[in-house]
């Protein structure tokens, strides 16, 4: 594993610009995916809260006589 590690470090040193661009791209991609998933989850929670505030949709009795 020592030789592989040295080769990897040597490659990163020789290609600093490419390595930094790849790191930045991975970071931006992670942030964008997290943001989209968070927005979708927030919208879903908003829709659920909206339906629950509209009325008791779980159980409804109407015109029930004994």
């Amino acid at each position: 594993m020592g030789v592989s590690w040295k080769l990897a470090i040597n490659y990163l040193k020789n290609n600093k610009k490419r390595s930094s661009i790849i790191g930045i791209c991975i970071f931006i991609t992670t942030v964008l995916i997290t943001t989209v998933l968070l927005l979708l989850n927030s919208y879903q929670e908003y829709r659920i809260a909206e339906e629950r505030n509209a009325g008791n949709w779980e159980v409804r009795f109407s015109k029930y006589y004994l």
Side-chain angles (χ1 to χ4, degrees):
M1 178 154 170
V3 175
S4 298
W5 184 256
K6 288 179 184 178
L7 285 174
I9 295 298
N10 191 21
Y11 175 79
L12 291 174
K13 285 181 182 177
N14 289 336
N15 298 308
K16 288 180 184 179
K17 186 176 179 180
R18 179 180 285 176
S19 299
S20 63
I21 290 175
I22 289 173
I24 291 169
C25 289
I26 290 172
F27 176 75
I28 290 173
T29 304
T30 305
V31 168
L32 287 175
I33 290 173
T34 304
T35 303
V36 168
L37 292 176
L38 182 63
L39 285 173
L40 288 174
N41 188 29
S42 296
Y43 182 70
Q44 182 182 16
E45 291 295 324
Y46 166 74
R47 294 289 298 185
I48 290 171
E50 191 75 19
E51 286 295 323
R52 287 192 175 156
N53 289 335
N56 188 1
W57 55 272
E58 294 168 353
V59 176
R60 179 178 292 174
F61 296 109
S62 62
K63 298 182 182 178
Y64 185 78
Y65 302 107
L66 290 177

